Amino acid sequence: MKQIYFFAEGNRDMRALLGGKGANLAEMTGLGLPVPSGFTVTTDACHQYQTNNNNMTSQLEEELKDALQHLEEQTGKLFDNTANPLLVSVRSGAAISMPGMMDTILNLGLNDQTVLGLAKQTNNERFAWDCYRRLLQMFGNVVFGIPEKTFDNEMTKLKQAKHYQSDLELTTADLKQLAQQFKALYTATEHKAFPQNPHEQLQLAVDAVFSSWQNNRAKVYRKLHGIPETLGTAVNVQMMAFGNSGQDSGTGVAFTRNPVTGEAKLFGEFLKNAQGEDVVSGLRTPQPIHELADSDPEIYQQFVDSVQELENHYRDMQDVEFTIEHGKLYFLQTRNGKRTPKAAVQIAVDLVEEGKISEAEALMRVDPEQITQLLHPEFAVDDLKGKAALAKGLPASPGAASGQIYFTAASAKAAHEAGHQVVLVRQDTSPEDIEGMVVSEAIVTSRGGMTSHAAVVARGMGKCGVVGCAAITIESDKSVKIGEQTFHEGDNLSVDGTTGKLYAGILSTTKAAQDPNLQKFLQWAQKNGNVDVFANADTPADFEQALRFGAKGIGLTRTEHMFFKSERLFQMRRLIIARTADDRIDPLNKLREMQQKDFVALYRLAEGKNVTIRLLDPPLHEFLPHDEVELKEVATAMNVSVDKLRNRVAELKEVNPMLGHRGCRLAVTYPDIYEMQVTAIANAALQVRSEGINVKPHIMIPLIGSLVEMRWVKDRLVAKLNEVFATTKQPLHYQIGTMIEMPRACLVADQIAQEADFFSFGTNDLTQLTYGFSRDDSGSFLPDYIEKGLLPADPFKSLDQEGVGALMKMAVNGGRKEKRSLPIGVCGELGGDPESIKFFDAIGIDYVSCSPYRVPVAVLASAQAAINRRHQPSFAKSTPTTH
Amino acid sequence: MKQIYFFAEGNRDMRALLGGKGANLAEMTGLGLPVPSGFTVTTDACHQYQTNNNNMTSQLEEELKDALQHLEEQTGKLFDNTANPLLVSVRSGAAISMPGMMDTILNLGLNDQTVLGLAKQTNNERFAWDCYRRLLQMFGNVVFGIPEKTFDNEMTKLKQAKHYQSDLELTTADLKQLAQQFKALYTATEHKAFPQNPHEQLQLAVDAVFSSWQNNRAKVYRKLHGIPETLGTAVNVQMMAFGNSGQDSGTGVAFTRNPVTGEAKLFGEFLKNAQGEDVVSGLRTPQPIHELADSDPEIYQQFVDSVQELENHYRDMQDVEFTIEHGKLYFLQTRNGKRTPKAAVQIAVDLVEEGKISEAEALMRVDPEQITQLLHPEFAVDDLKGKAALAKGLPASPGAASGQIYFTAASAKAAHEAGHQVVLVRQDTSPEDIEGMVVSEAIVTSRGGMTSHAAVVARGMGKCGVVGCAAITIESDKSVKIGEQTFHEGDNLSVDGTTGKLYAGILSTTKAAQDPNLQKFLQWAQKNGNVDVFANADTPADFEQALRFGAKGIGLTRTEHMFFKSERLFQMRRLIIARTADDRIDPLNKLREMQQKDFVALYRLAEGKNVTIRLLDPPLHEFLPHDEVELKEVATAMNVSVDKLRNRVAELKEVNPMLGHRGCRLAVTYPDIYEMQVTAIANAALQVRSEGINVKPHIMIPLIGSLVEMRWVKDRLVAKLNEVFATTKQPLHYQIGTMIEMPRACLVADQIAQEADFFSFGTNDLTQLTYGFSRDDSGSFLPDYIEKGLLPADPFKSLDQEGVGALMKMAVNGGRKEKRSLPIGVCGELGGDPESIKFFDAIGIDYVSCSPYRVPVAVLASAQAAINRRHQPSFAKSTPTTH
């Protein structure tokens, strides 16, 4: 298999082989857009390199020689030639975009001789030496691992000595001197000379890119984004186009739509007389792209037309890099642009309305996890009232967050691990800062634009971010000035990524307002999904929120949460310490009245939607006080002796409460508690129906393990319900179902289905029991397991499809064997996890129930699962676009 | 379907329809043996009765009328006729024998008129009135529920007034008076007159028998013996034969072999001039059967020949009831006789050696649970030395036990529930006493013979029992005299059921000697079983015992048990509180040396048999002290601060330790512990091999839930083993297997099998997780569940085949899919449960491992499972014989 492809030989479908960047360069070349000539060394070559003990194969060495020769022919330039030197860029590019993680070398081909030729040829000695010193910097950093800072320090010293403000003030002589100093750094720090032979430079550069796949930053990024280690990277070798050739040159980055808001308007920045790294690094603040129209309207028009063509061709918002060399436009890269969740939804909706993509395609364009970010908090209006902002920067990534400020990734990480909420404040960020960014609530930089590293990464991570905030001066690793005020490490700062404003102290946050685009988008999702989404709601407030987010009803009300309010807790405790049946009557009556009110409120909101109420689940000792102080207080309040209360606590104590006397087992011992609850349910239902509101009570029995148990409990509930409904002429329709959360329930689901009107998986307990992991205790070993690769993920966050999933499949098959259309749901926490929902869709689950804020995520995940299943494999390629 | 069969119409294969008694009466009739004419009302009629709201169907009423008419024709006697009155017995009889549990009425057909006719006909007025007063007693008790005691009191009062010692002294006038008094009791207590119409008597009697199926005693017995409620009972109506017709009459019970020892010699008792109830109730002490040869040699010979014919016909020891009326022998019942475990084995072995049954049949004749009773303790010789017995009774049921004496079933039950070991001492026992007998360690009566209720039930339950101990006088409900000594409720008594002797106080017990018959029997079992039996043994003593009982090796050594000895516990604690890797080295080395010695001892005993060692399983906090006092002691001993130790205890505390940081999860966090253990295993193996002894180490990893986990742990163990074995030229063969105890392990068993040399099910944990039941906590609800019929049995005692069993099947199939001949065992407690072993045999389990004393039980259960599978259904009928 050949290991090198020229751009003209490839296309965008060859992403796996050519990497994203290479495939898109090939595609642009095919479209006839101005792309500097070049070729791609394939990801396959990367594998060969790795299996060849991290050495280039002789095949690759051969092909590389041939490719260079061909490139010389194409460009009419020659490698290692002083008269017309061929200079190239070398860039990595994996199949999945990993911005900033991999390394770039520009101006490769320059040496002590060709730099003179370039000077002569361009008639611009300063330009030539500027290119050379850049090569020396990048090459030294990427190939020999000399820290960037070492080179920067030399340059800063020189600039300070000469009182220069900007790099542009450096003279040819300064640059010559820097080149000498940089070469000296090679021998001083690495005891190696800068290789003068361009062929050797290229070989070493390709080597370095292949090796860099294994560097730590890359590994952290891949781990964070779930990118497989085996993918490998390609290397793109391309004739240089020089944005730093003079004032008729420049370079920039642009998005065909606004990546923050999604607005359908070209959005970008450019820098005159600069190379790409100057824009990306954020060291100089660039001009908005529309200003190019003023300075060079013709180029601007060509640019606008080209990127529109690209967007139409790719049918998605494009992120392009371009360079202008002496008034000639070149495209160096195009890709589907990263975007904020808000922009992702806006763009997806707009593209549908522009007739460019279908609704189903639009739904595949947004990562369900991003949706939560749309629901992210904003600062409370009351807190902001009269509050002056400390400073304002660029609103790089929306949302609002407060935390303690730290100035290095390491100190941020340490503070996070110590349990603090952290805001990372830096001059600019680089890939070395990734781990510090991961743990921060917000990211703030004093320099850089909307496309700087900090901005791109913050948006990708959904962190709130403000960049280019010039009012910030980093004074040391321990303090910073914002405006006139000094802040020290650990001081509180509030960051509004939507407005770009910074505030001193901690501000409280409120939920984000609803976005009409999101509403529209979610309606499409509702239409497309097979798995319905209900909410876990214990209070009317929860339920209202969930309904606004499109929940189809309540899939889980945990009645025990209702017992923890103080007056109720008191009655619950009276019930628990009662020794005779008589003593139980009064607290049961009181609890019944209170529960009835709870249910009335939920039914009114539901207006005929399902309200699924789970009967008491936790062991009774959870309701009793556990320390001596509280014990005394409660005993006094209840008018019983401390000893009596202490004895009851001791009596109820369990070795493994998870596996103890709880759920329906309580009903077997104390049938009156469930009877009280269903009486409240029935009374509430009748009351609300009498108000002309439709009512659908679903009663759910927890912890069922066998048919006889289900039947025993259910029979008693039905008897009680019949008692209540005997008073009405129109009996009320209700359902009695069961949680499926014991492995045994999955194994005998066919039997249990005889008595169950519905099933609802409790994935937390089911996971605990299937693995034998206690959630409460797994903290002592689960992190070790994930760290050591013994678990792919925390099974409480993403379904263990192989183990727990296998039991679920059995239960679904068993249940439906008995009752063909048995409704089956999931009401554990995994009900809101997109990967898990995909599995639930596949095994025929009817609905999930999750916390209100996960409802929109689940709705979208459900739609994507269904679309994926219907259209595979045609959409498979589209999914990575929003990563 | 007809509801009544005459004896001549049935045979022994109609057990389900006719009940055991009816089927055998029919069979005897078919064999031409002298059986009084009669018929059986079927168990089907009993069902009809129940579904007809506990009323006889009109069909049954019709058939009963016809049958009576036919019986009159057969016998030439007439119902309700004074000249030649037909009198019948009415007896219940279910398909499975339930001795004494159901009720009997004799002499039915007598009334104020026919009693006169009977007197005239037999020319024996006293006899006639004696029959009448018996009918009045039994009918009153069975049909109207008047307590037996009420009648007994009247009789006792009369006897006392007249200074009679025996019932035989009652005159005709006395008996007439008693009949009057008894009839008066009917009206006084029940406000109903005794029905004079014999047809009405019969209807009411059949009614009563059908109802009595539902009485409490019957329910307790069925629950105790696992007899299904749905079986129902038949009713046998049979012409009376009068053993109480005079001195040429009598009645008795006999076994064709000795039911206590198994000796092949007729064994029985008879009473002259008595009805059957006199023998069974134990109120009079009967003569040995061989004395019949003296008084009536002809009858005796006929009897001996007949019962031999019966034994040959049934191919098993028979338990027969007979009556002699005026020198004519009648058989009233035959059935396979109940026997002690010792007798069961002896008889089974003898029958094989007599060529009457095959080895396989013999194996089916002994209930595996009975085997444990053969291994039951005897009193320690040292304790008996110089100790005088208080008294000696009949050795009714072998074994030895001590406990506190109680004189009523209720007080025995209460004392048992309060946690005491109880010995029940009574004049005699009746079905009312069943619950008290169940909870007692031993049963002692002052009256009755070897076939009395107390004796039969004690043997059936495998309780140690002494009956007919005349030296005992029950003085009240609270005290008793044994010889001259008075004992009060709660005093200690020791009972030797093998010798019949009673001793004051508590005696220590030793294990029973080995019985050569048992050895032979178990060798047959070993040959026949498919499931091999290994032992759970943590010490050489355990292992020696197990080897004597035929264990094939060790299936489970729990290494943690070895850590609880004080010097080891100290090192274990040092290891746990160590904070650095260095601090761990010394305790690990010390533990390694100690473990190595443990393993050397086991390997030496094993002589090449498998020794399966499970690596550390429990969570570390189990090794630390938990109360303050111990905490201080340990801190001092370890030379650490109490605070440090307390903190470590707190750190390791878990909410649900069952599901916590234990098993192989410890190895992931602290690999050095398992590495230490396998080093000890390997060193020990090399040491013992160097002594010329073959060694087979099997290393078992607990709590595995996935392939990656298994691989991770195993790789580290193998590396360590290779390190040790690197020192030897002949590498040692070893196996590394895994416990299968997490539901997940069952679901992914095919994967785990890639790395496992063997599987061993941990049924305790697997049951806990499948049900979500903590064994430690299930005491608060499991009894409720069993009581309310929500669980058929305690799933920790008998495998839940439907749930846990389904997972096991998956694991077996999965494991064998990957490795066709993967050895699979069970080493949980269910490994010694016969019912569970049957299931294990069926799903292809290779071996079980159980505690040493369960080994013989498991060996027999394994053989029976295999035989059952091979020969079904031909042996199905034989299985109930030993119940």
Side-chain angles (χ1 to χ4, degrees), chain B residues 581-708:
Chain B
D582 270 3
D583 289 350
R584 299 172 69 83
I585 294 173
D586 186 60
L588 278 170
N589 282 340
K590 292 233 164 63
L591 288 167
R592 195 191 59 237
E593 284 162 25
M594 294 186 275
Q595 288 248 282
Q596 187 172 331
K597 279 185 203 145
D598 297 333
F599 300 143
V600 163
L602 295 178
Y603 288 144
R604 282 185 183 143
L605 282 172
E607 294 184 314
K609 295 185 185 72
N610 287 352
V611 174
T612 311
I613 297 168
R614 183 178 69 186
L615 303 177
L616 191 71
D617 186 44
L620 296 182
H621 50 76
E622 286 198 8
F623 297 99
L624 293 182
H626 288 94
D627 67 68
E628 276 296 312
V629 176
E630 213 195 335
L631 207 63
K632 275 177 200 151
E633 276 172 23
V634 172
T636 309
M638 302 189 66
N639 199 21
V640 298
S641 76
V642 177
D643 277 350
K644 181 175 176 180
L645 190 60
R646 192 189 291 113
N647 286 344
R648 188 69 178 134
V649 170
E651 217 175 76
L652 290 174
K653 193 176 154 63
E654 295 187 306
V655 181
N656 296 294
M658 232 297 295
L659 310 178
H661 197 176
R662 53 178 285 239
C664 64
R665 295 167 199 166
L666 290 171
V668 172
T669 322
Y670 310 110
D672 53 7
I673 300 179
Y674 278 19
E675 286 170 4
M676 173 276 283
Q677 294 197 296
V678 294
T679 305
I681 290 169
N683 282 336
L686 289 181
Q687 181 182 338
V688 173
R689 192 180 59 177
S690 73
E691 298 166 4
I693 299 170
N694 196 2
V695 187
K696 276 194 199 156
H698 283 55
I699 297 166
M700 189 151 70
I701 307 172
L703 237 63
I704 287 292
S706 73
L707 170 61
V708 278

Side-chain angles (χ1 to χ4, degrees), chain A residues 656 668 709 744 785 788 800, chain B residues 668 709 744 785 788 800:
Chain A
N656 296 294
V668 172
E709 189 182 40
R744 194 176 195 284
Y785 266 68
K788 289 176 178 162
D800 162 36
Chain B
V668 172
E709 190 182 39
R744 194 177 194 284
Y785 267 68
K788 289 173 178 165
D800 163 35

Side-chain angles (χ1 to χ4, degrees), chain B residues 129-191:
Chain B
W129 284 98
D130 192 44
C131 288
Y132 194 28
R133 71 92 189 164
R134 285 175 194 262
L135 169 64
L136 288 165
Q137 270 179 281
M138 289 185 274
F139 192 93
N141 179 242
V142 171
V143 178
F144 288 160
I146 304 169
E148 262 183 81
K149 214 172 167 177
T150 314
F151 297 108
D152 286 348
N153 283 346
E154 296 285 327
M155 201 151 95
T156 306
K157 261 189 281 174
L158 182 67
K159 278 158 68 182
Q160 281 170 347
K162 304 231 167 170
H163 306 290
Y164 295 158
Q165 297 302 315
S166 151
D167 297 0
L168 295 177
E169 294 173 62
L170 292 165
T171 63
T172 303
D174 295 336
L175 293 166
K176 278 185 181 173
Q177 182 190 328
L178 277 177
Q180 285 313 114
Q181 286 174 359
F182 287 175
K183 281 189 285 178
L185 277 175
Y186 279 63
T187 39
T189 62
E190 298 297 313
H191 309 294

Side-chain angles (χ1 to χ4, degrees), chain B residues 242-294:
Chain B
F242 291 105
N244 55 343
S245 303
Q247 286 304 312
D248 60 348
S249 303
T251 190
V253 174
F255 294 82
T256 56
R257 295 170 191 245
N258 188 310
V260 179
T261 64
E263 194 188 359
K265 197 174 145 190
L266 186 63
F267 177 93
E269 296 163 325
F270 78 104
L271 265 175
K272 289 213 163 182
N273 198 18
Q275 280 196 326
E277 49 158 354
D278 300 322
V279 182
V280 176
S281 74
L283 292 171
R284 279 161 61 192
T285 302
Q287 294 173 263
I289 187 79
H290 62 82
E291 290 180 10
L292 183 61
D294 305 331

